[in-house]
Amino acid sequence: MCGIVGYVGQQQAQGVVIEGLRRLEYRGYDSAGIALVHASEGRGALAADKRAGKLANLEKALDERPLPESSTGIGHTRWATHGAPNDRNAHPHLGAAGRLALVHNGIIENFAELRAELEQAGHELRSETDTEVAAHLLERELRDGADLTTAMQRICRRLAGAFTLVAVDAEDPDRVVAARRSSPLVVGLGEGENFLGSDVAAFIEHTREALELGQDQVVTLSRDDVSVTTFDGAPAEGTPYHVDWDLSAAEKDGHDWFMRKEIFEQPRAVADSLIGRRTPTGELHLDEVRLSDGDLRDIDKVIIIACGTSFYAGMVAKYAIEHWCRIPCEVELASEFRYRDPILTRETLVVAISQSGETADTLQAIRHARTQRSKVLAICNTNGSTIPRESDAVIYTHAGPEIGVASTKGFLTQLVACYLLALYLAQVKGTRYGDEITQVMNQLEQMPAHIQTVLEGAADVYALAQDYVDARSVLFLGRHAGFPVALEGALKLKELAYIHAEGFAAGELKHGPIALIEEGLPVWCVVPPRGRDQLHDKMVSGIQEVRARGARTICLAEAGDESITPYADALIRLPKVPVLLQPLVAAVPLQLFACELATLMGHDVDQPRNLAKSVTVE
Ligand code: F6R
């Protein structure tokens, strides 16, 4: 949610900043802007431009009227919170005298009172944003004699909320200063140059050495130095780390969309997320789980908290945890969690699932859980992000950077991490025998090949998308672990194709939603594998019921399941896998369908309207 870039070095800052913004545009694309510090008549001066809409609008303006040469700059790509997405509200915002430029991600919660204070002191604010208030406060500190670092420390002590701020001062041209509280910011460490970004994609082209910052810290960058302090000015240290992926991971690699590329990367992402999880003697081993076996044995309840697609991964996890570990598992939307006074004890394991590791709702939920002394384990794809840092333990997924706004490989790798966690708990608690765990691990290790098989049938799914390009509504039905898959299929379609889409537990249909069925309505049906229980047969009955009322059924069913053929208007085959693992293959055709349908409808698949990749505001 908002992408931020900062640069000081020897290259032309305009190019570095714009390239960084291009790689961060998935975080927000309501407007984009840049500010550079350059020399003018022997003194430092600011040059800035900002435009509503996508980065392309700013680039076009800069092509027509390039900014002066400079080697220090900041940039911003916005997901609007305060104020409409227009030129005036776009970042950077300048101080009253135009000496200071500031970009911001997050929300300054006490901005109204600060704004009133500034207006009383005669400041004229030009935008409706909370950010401009911080710009005026900063510049006032500079005017009163503080340097930019001190000014930043001082104003941060006055700000409430979650924020990342990055500023430049025309009178201090070789310095960029930033601050963070509960909002992402990483430093890129170069040779004779240094970078700032909301995530490492902003500078991965230039360096893979990064510095993770802690909470409530201010960082000052010059060409050759990076220094960190607390908001109180005390010296502090960031944590250096090496980024283990390179620029190619942040490129489309011949695909039309990042999302499509990421769908096709799923066999690799799932395989990578399984690597190194077994000891030579075959035991499951999760080295990032920094909770003792004793602590885990005492766990008597699991609560999973997450948002959106990650929440659906959590719903699948509930089936696995309750089945394999025989302990109750609740799944809760992070945005609702702390408002319902949840019952948490020291024996509750709270599992936070977040691809980005920065989702504000999830972060606030884990903070609440920790105040109740529950143990928190994060499942996360982003090294060094806030949620794993504030958790007691973490299982990292190894999807690589996910740039398409709609989550795909993030989801599949979260499922893998959930299965691993459930199996690990079963091993520690002794609720499953070692050979049962080994059997599931063997099945999991076959999943990349199964996902690959599904991807090889992509052309059939694309042909279906052609047939439904005029659909105004699509339903998705599933049962058991297929129910969250149905919800996920519907979410993908809503966010990418902007059409009405809903997922239902197939058994619920007759309790109301069946009234929605009308002639020609497309209904995707996730058919459970044939097994000992009656799940499969009940699903087949449900399919017959909707078809009898005129729906066009698109069935996802395992290879060899002929019972479904008479009732399927279209049939997509899935490899034969156990019911609990079926989401790993069943989600894939639904991702392909949404991606293709949105493409045919002419939508921007990677940057759907109104959305942003990491939702860092509540
Ligand atoms: C949907 C999607 C979102 C995210 C949700 C949580 O395609 O991507 O629903 O899943 O915003 O994000 P994370 O997992 O980063 O906490």
Side-chain angles (χ1 to χ4, degrees):
M1 195 143 284
C2 297
I4 285 187
V5 179
Y7 176 72
V8 53
Q10 291 141 4
Q11 304 186 54
Q12 284 303 323
Q14 178 173 318
V16 177
V17 169
I18 294 294
E19 193 50 45
L21 290 181
R22 191 172 301 126
R23 298 198 193 287
L24 293 188
E25 202 182 9
Y26 69 92
R27 302 180 70 93
Y29 28 87
D30 286 333
S31 63
I34 180 170
L36 306 177
V37 188
H38 67 106
S40 170
E41 295 162 8
R43 303 184 55 194
L46 286 181
D49 203 343
K50 51 187 191 172
R51 303 286 156 152
K54 295 201 170 174
L55 180 63
N57 295 353
L58 175 67
E59 288 182 286
K60 187 162 172 278
L62 292 174
D63 281 348
E64 286 162 13
R65 202 175 56 90
L67 298 180
E69 291 199 352
S70 155
S71 53
T72 306
I74 59 176
H76 188 267
T77 174
R78 177 171 188 238
W79 189 85
T81 56
H82 291 71
N86 53 29
D87 287 355
R88 200 157 40 90
N89 290 330
H91 300 213
H93 289 278
L94 305 187
R99 170 178 166 184
L100 173 124
L102 178 74
V103 293
H104 164 219
N105 174 24
I107 292 182
I108 298 168
E109 284 167 4
N110 57 340
F111 95 101
E113 69 190 66
L114 295 169
R115 185 178 179 117
E117 173 193 311
L118 285 164
E119 282 173 345
Q120 237 172 17
H123 287 248
E124 262 182 51
L125 290 126
R126 292 171 285 251
S127 76
E128 302 147 82
T129 64
D130 48 347
T131 312
E132 194 183 1
V133 168
H136 279 239
L137 289 174
L138 261 177
E139 199 184 72
R140 190 167 70 176
E141 294 289 343
L142 296 177
R143 190 198 60 199
D144 293 347
D147 63 19
L148 188 54
T149 305
T150 312
M152 187 66 93
Q153 292 159 351
R154 283 190 191 150
I155 74 146
C156 285
R157 296 201 291 266
R158 299 198 61 200
L159 304 182
F163 49 83
T164 300
L165 301 169
V166 183
V168 284
D169 171 8
E171 296 187 14
D172 193 357
D174 297 320
R175 198 184 327 204
V176 179
V177 175
R180 76 170 288 258
R181 168 182 284 163
S182 299
S183 190
L185 182 68
V186 257
V187 181
L189 303 168
E191 300 268 324
E193 57 183 356
N194 287 304
F195 306 81
L196 287 164
S198 300
D199 65 51
V200 295
F203 50 74
I204 192 72
E205 190 177 348
H206 305 283
T207 178
R208 289 165 70 185
E209 302 312 315
L211 190 73
E212 179 188 324
L213 297 172
Q215 261 326 331
D216 287 9
Q217 291 189 340
V218 169
V219 60
T220 304
L221 266 61
S222 62
R223 287 178 185 189
D224 299 310
D225 190 54
V226 172
S227 63
V228 185
T229 69
T230 64
F231 284 179
D232 291 328
E237 288 201 358
T239 314
Y241 67 101
H242 178 76
V243 182
D244 58 9
W245 50 271
D246 61 17
L247 182 61
S248 64
E251 304 276 347
K252 284 190 208 152
D253 205 16
H255 290 273
D256 52 350
W257 305 113
F258 277 108
M259 180 188 179
R260 207 183 306 266
K261 175 189 172 224
E262 289 161 5
I263 293 173
F264 279 88
E265 282 173 349
Q266 292 182 116
R268 201 255 325 128
V270 165
D272 286 356
S273 298
L274 284 165
I275 286 176
R277 308 297 195 179
R278 290 211 253 185
T279 64
T281 52
E283 287 214 309
L284 189 54
H285 146 88
L286 302 178
D287 57 0
E288 315 117 303
V289 175
R290 302 177 298 258
L291 294 172
S292 72
D293 284 359
D295 280 342
L296 289 176
R297 259 191 293 275
D298 290 343
I299 297 297
D300 61 10
K301 183 167 78 169
V302 176
I303 302 185
I304 299 178
I305 45 179
C307 304
T309 290
S310 303
F311 175 73
Y312 299 144
M315 287 178 72
V316 175
K318 175 182 166 72
Y319 290 94
I321 290 172
E322 292 191 339
H323 180 66
W324 289 330
C325 312
R326 306 310 300 150
I327 42 176
C329 176
E330 297 169 13
V331 193
E332 177 96 26
L333 289 169
S335 52
E336 291 293 320
F337 179 69
R338 65 196 168 112
Y339 301 104
R340 71 162 171 97
D341 198 9
I343 300 167
L344 294 159
T345 67
R346 285 171 194 266
E347 285 73 42
T348 309
L349 178 67
V350 172
V351 178
I353 308 179
S354 175
Q355 188 284 130
S356 63
E358 299 292 351
T359 300
D361 289 315
T362 312
L363 181 61
Q364 294 306 339
I366 66 167
R367 285 182 178 161
H368 177 74
R370 294 197 78 196
T371 63
Q372 307 298 299
R373 305 198 171 182
S374 294
K375 297 272 183 296
V376 176
L377 181 144
I379 290 179
C380 184
N381 192 42
T382 314
N383 266 68
S385 55
T386 311
I387 289 172
R389 223 182 19 239
E390 294 202 12
S391 300
D392 299 293
V394 57
I395 299 178
Y396 278 114
T397 53
H398 296 280
E402 191 178 60
I403 293 172
V405 164
S407 185
T408 52
K409 61 179 182 172
F411 177 60
L412 258 57
T413 55
Q414 285 168 347
L415 292 176
V416 170
C418 290
Y419 296 132
L420 290 172
L421 173 64
L423 291 171
Y424 190 67
L425 279 176
Q427 177 177 287
V428 171
K429 285 177 155 290
T431 50
R432 291 282 148 177
Y433 292 114
D435 53 353
E436 290 175 288
I437 293 170
T438 303
Q439 189 192 7
V440 182
M441 282 304 291
N442 291 343
Q443 288 163 341
L444 270 173
E445 281 165 1
Q446 287 161 19
M447 294 312 288
H450 290 319
I451 297 165
Q452 186 60 40
T453 306
V454 178
L455 288 169
E456 280 157 17
D460 295 341
V461 182
Y462 295 161
L464 268 173
Q466 289 274 4
D467 294 347
Y468 290 103
V469 83
D470 294 324
R472 299 312 323 141
S473 178
V474 181
L475 301 189
F476 295 77
L477 305 182
R479 290 191 81 111
H480 192 266
F483 170 40
V485 175
L487 294 171
E488 171 62 1
L491 178 60
K492 290 283 95 86
L493 209 55
K494 278 186 262 211
E495 64 185 330
L496 299 175
Y498 318 146
I499 60 176
H500 170 244
E502 263 187 275
F504 294 107
E508 259 310 280
L509 209 64
K510 53 192 175 298
H511 300 290
I514 200 160
L516 289 170
I517 306 291
E518 56 189 20
E519 200 58 39
L521 181 80
V523 181
W524 279 86
C525 308
V526 184
V527 183
R530 288 159 299 172
R532 270 165 300 171
D533 49 35
Q534 295 176 336
L535 267 182
H536 171 271
D537 297 352
K538 296 248 188 277
M539 184 71 196
V540 177
S541 310
I543 295 170
Q544 290 177 56
E545 283 158 21
V546 294
R547 197 152 186 273
R549 288 161 178 81
R552 285 190 285 168
T553 55
I554 311 164
C555 296
L556 282 174
E558 69 177 2
D561 180 359
E562 293 310 332
S563 61
I564 216 76
T565 318
Y567 317 113
D569 291 289
L571 190 51
I572 302 285
R573 289 298 186 183
L574 298 175
K576 271 169 92 73
V577 297
V579 64
L580 274 172
L581 305 190
Q582 199 196 38
L584 283 171
V585 286
V588 177
L590 305 183
Q591 298 167 342
L592 289 166
F593 181 72
C595 180
E596 184 66 6
L597 194 70
T599 307
L600 294 170
M601 292 168 90
H603 296 165
D604 185 333
V605 167
D606 284 335
Q607 296 177 354
R609 70 183 180 203
N610 303 337
L611 297 179
K613 184 71 183 162
S614 48
V615 185
T616 52
V617 293
E618 277 186 87

